[in-house]
Amino acid sequence: MKVSRKKQKAETRQKLMDATAAELASGRSFDTLSLREVAKLAGIAPTSFYRHFHDMGSLGLALIEEQGETLLTLMHHVREQASGGHSLIRTSVETLFDHIFANQGMSRMILLESMSRHSVFREAAEKLFATMSRDLAEFLVWDAKERGVPMGHPQLAANSMVAILFTTGIALLKTPVEDRGRHIEAAIVQLRMIMRGAEAMGQKT
Amino acid sequence: MKVSRKKQKAETRQKLMDATAAELASGRSFDTLSLREVAKLAGIAPTSFYRHFHDMGSLGLALIEEQGETLLTLMHHVREQASGGHSLIRTSVETLFDHIFANQGMSRMILLESMSRHSVFREAAEKLFATMSRDLAEFLVWDAKERGVPMGHPQLAANSMVAILFTTGIALLKTPVEDRGRHIEAAIVQLRMIMRGAEAMGQKT
DNA sequence: AATTTCAGCGTACACTTGTACGCACAACTG
DNA sequence: CAGTTGTGCGTACAAGTGTACGCTGAAATT
């Protein structure tokens, strides 16, 4: 009873996911990873892989879903925390980028897979983006009302923001440390620019 | 002398590139394509591949560079042509998306590779984006002067625009035909929003 | 205590992969 | 015309792939 079976199984399952994530983090693309390879990295026999995932595809899906959830709750927390204060854009940006840095491989994978066509993951990744945008839009509306300013096309504004966040996020992954600050500041200006634009469009129409 | 050697060689080289592009267009990711496979698709023996490219990497690089050039000149033409008229945003967007549609596989590949870490292609793809942004920024400055309106952070505005163009471009590839119009209109609004924002930021500072 | 369950292993098989090597034969060069 | 050049082919091999099959041993259940 020292090590229950369930616990043991969950552990090796996690080992598989961790090994894959680590490999992704080191720059490998997901679809060059073989079942045998991750099995070896996780320290189990190739055939034992099947006890945990039916497929490399299932493993990838599990990874995306795990990552997506933590990302969404993270952003949620940021908004709750910063709701009282201001500089919300700055805090959100910095938090998101921190997270992306801490999970480079996974972030890249999600972004990449969201673009591939037939992939099983595409749906999952797209859903994540859609949810992020929707959450953000909702917040933008609330915030605009709070501040008493108009807001045109909040959903489109949110879409633009998410797009910029992720493209700069990816760009950051390849940027030498000393230049990162500059890029982050640039992203913040870009987001503010969109805010301004949205507000301007809200006044006229 | 009917078929000169040079010509013949150029033809099979093109066959290799075409075969690869076709495969990409059908949704395959570049790094799941094997040398043997594209050789077979091009109708030559696997070992003959080496007469044209030293590597699958070299082939990919050739593809990206080819595509990049046509893309840049295309956007250039659009601007020259539409300079007199207005609705420049609309024309640019539609032209770009048409092009992306006509070359789905390549576009996706460029985007994807621009994000991968160790890839030989990253540099090429990034360079392309940078050039596009720079060209666009240059144009924005010129256009703003022309219209007598201020323009804050033109380079950042251009970056945002390119980011949005490409993310919606990619999204479009997976969108059923009947919804495409809506997405294109959305992209146009997003670009105008950024314009407005940039102009608003230009007035204050 | 006897039985069932099941994570993990090892072997085995049919593929696919990149690429080394040498040959053929048509296009070029002199 | 003879000689060189170089595209393309076929064979061959080592390495890596997914996965079917049957076994083990210990945890879980009875």
Side-chain angles (χ1 to χ4, degrees), chain B residues 96-121:
Chain B
L96 179 60
F97 287 162
D98 281 354
H99 180 81
I100 289 184
F101 270 115
N103 307 54
Q104 306 199 11
M106 280 304 308
S107 306
R108 187 168 38 243
M109 177 194 170
I110 291 182
L111 275 166
L112 259 55
E113 293 305 339
S114 76
M115 296 178 173
S116 67
R117 233 180 27 153
H118 296 319
S119 164
V120 200
F121 315 140

Side-chain angles (χ1 to χ4, degrees), chain B residues 48-93:
Chain B
S48 300
F49 180 96
Y50 296 109
R51 305 287 184 198
H52 304 278
F53 298 99
H54 163 269
D55 219 29
M56 274 300 283
S58 316
L59 203 177
L61 210 58
L63 277 173
I64 290 187
E65 279 166 0
E66 190 191 59
Q67 186 74 359
E69 252 171 75
T70 68
L71 193 55
L72 284 178
T73 60
L74 182 71
M75 298 311 288
H76 224 261
H77 279 169
V78 172
R79 271 175 221 133
E80 276 180 5
Q81 207 175 339
S83 266
H86 15 292
S87 72
L88 181 81
I89 287 186
R90 166 160 256 116
T91 328
S92 301
V93 170

Side-chain angles (χ1 to χ4, degrees), chain A residues 8-51:
Chain A
Q8 181 69 341
K9 181 166 185 181
E11 258 172 42
T12 32
R13 184 188 147 103
Q14 196 57 44
K15 259 194 237 166
L16 282 168
M17 294 179 65
D18 289 351
T20 309
E23 211 57 15
L24 288 175
S26 84
R28 288 281 296 276
S29 88
F30 184 82
D31 48 31
T32 63
L33 260 69
S34 70
L35 183 156
R36 286 181 109 105
E37 203 180 350
V38 306
K40 184 176 288 181
L41 288 170
I44 65 173
T47 47
S48 301
F49 180 95
Y50 297 110
R51 306 287 185 198

Side-chain angles (χ1 to χ4, degrees), chain A residues 150-190:
Chain A
M151 186 83 193
H153 306 286
Q155 184 58 66
L156 291 182
N159 289 352
S160 297
M161 288 177 170
V162 172
I164 287 171
L165 282 174
F166 275 92
T167 51
T168 29
I170 286 299
L172 273 177
L173 294 181
K174 312 167 263 170
T175 305
V177 203
E178 66 267 25
D179 292 338
R180 283 181 186 165
R182 238 188 41 235
H183 281 200
I184 293 179
E185 293 308 315
I188 291 175
V189 174
Q190 285 175 277

Side-chain angles (χ1 to χ4, degrees), chain A residues 34-104:
Chain A
S34 70
L35 183 156
R36 286 181 109 105
E37 203 180 350
V38 306
K40 184 176 288 181
L41 288 170
I44 65 173
T47 47
S48 301
F49 180 95
Y50 297 110
R51 306 287 185 198
H52 304 277
F53 299 99
H54 161 269
D55 221 27
M56 275 299 283
S58 317
L59 203 176
L61 210 57
L63 278 173
I64 291 187
E65 278 165 2
E66 190 190 60
Q67 186 74 1
E69 252 172 74
T70 66
L71 193 54
L72 284 177
T73 60
L74 182 69
M75 296 313 286
H76 223 261
H77 279 168
V78 172
R79 272 176 221 135
E80 275 179 6
Q81 208 174 339
S83 264
H86 16 290
S87 73
L88 180 83
I89 286 185
R90 163 160 258 115
T91 328
S92 302
V93 170
E94 281 168 356
T95 312
L96 178 60
F97 287 162
D98 280 354
H99 179 81
I100 287 183
F101 270 115
N103 308 54
Q104 304 199 12

Side-chain angles (χ1 to χ4, degrees), chain A residues 144 147-154 194-205, chain B residues 193 196-197 199-201 203-204:
Chain A
R147 292 183 303 140
V149 290
M151 186 83 193
H153 306 286
I194 291 171
M195 272 292 235
R196 288 281 202 103
E199 289 170 8
M201 291 185 107
Q203 288 180 334
K204 247 203 168 152
T205 308
Chain B
M193 187 181 288
R196 289 281 205 102
E199 289 170 9
M201 290 183 108
Q203 288 180 334
K204 248 202 165 151

